[in-house]
């Protein structure tokens, strides 16, 4: 997790730095529904590369937005879920969904 000194002064810039990529937002959108496994996310997020998904998940885990649970099974099962901090982004994603829907309706 980044220290306060490592984050931008502007709160909007801080949010953009943590979740501003297209893929991170879509990962969060999926994880708001339920925990997902890596390959499930990769298949659902059409166009994402394995490297970008791996890097995004690692970054969000380091920032405390998601949790990674490894189950002691053979083969090992790993699930990604939102942390409490990640769940607190629900209103942001909901607002983006509402805005996107209104925009699409106005464009028809």
């Amino acid at each position: 997790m980044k220290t306060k000194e490592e984050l931008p002064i502007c709160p909007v810039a801080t949010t953009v730095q943590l979740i501003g990529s297209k893929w991170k937002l879509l990962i969060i959108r999926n994880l708001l529904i339920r925990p997902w496994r890596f390959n499930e996310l990769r298949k659902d997020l059409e166009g994402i590369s394995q490297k970008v998904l791996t890097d995004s998940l690692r970054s969000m885990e380091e920032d405390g937005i998601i949790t990674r649970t490894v189950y002691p099974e053979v083969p090992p099962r790993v699930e990604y879920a939102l942390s409490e901090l990640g769940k607190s982004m629900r209103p942001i994603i909901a607002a983006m969904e509402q805005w996107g829907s209104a925009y699409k309706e106005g464009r028809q």
Side-chain angles (χ1 to χ4, degrees):
M1 207 180 275
K2 294 177 178 36
T3 65
K4 287 185 181 180
E5 293 76 32
E6 295 173 310
L7 295 171
I9 294 171
C10 172
V12 173
T14 297
T15 305
V16 169
Q17 182 176 331
L18 293 173
I19 63 163
S21 82
K22 163 187 165 179
W23 295 117
K24 285 182 180 181
L25 288 168
L26 294 177
I27 292 167
I28 291 168
R29 176 205 64 192
N30 282 19
L31 295 178
L32 281 167
I33 299 166
R34 63 174 173 84
W36 291 64
R37 295 173 73 173
F38 184 88
N39 283 330
E40 289 179 313
L41 284 168
R42 198 175 68 169
K43 288 175 187 172
D44 191 72
L45 301 171
E46 194 171 313
I48 193 168
S49 70
Q50 184 167 335
K51 180 183 181 343
V52 169
L53 179 56
T54 299
D55 291 348
S56 296
L57 290 169
R58 283 185 183 155
S59 172
M60 289 191 296
E61 185 180 10
E62 288 173 13
D63 292 332
I65 296 168
I66 66 168
T67 60
R68 178 179 183 267
T69 304
V70 180
Y71 294 92
E73 301 171 353
V74 178
R77 178 171 52 109
V78 178
E79 285 187 346
Y80 296 91
L82 289 177
S83 65
E84 289 304 312
L85 177 62
K87 290 176 186 174
S88 72
M89 293 181 186
R90 184 177 299 277
I92 296 169
I93 303 299
M96 292 177 76
E97 180 182 15
Q98 290 172 348
W99 188 90
S101 293
Y103 179 81
K104 285 171 70 174
E105 287 175 13
R107 302 288 292 184
Q108 295 177 356

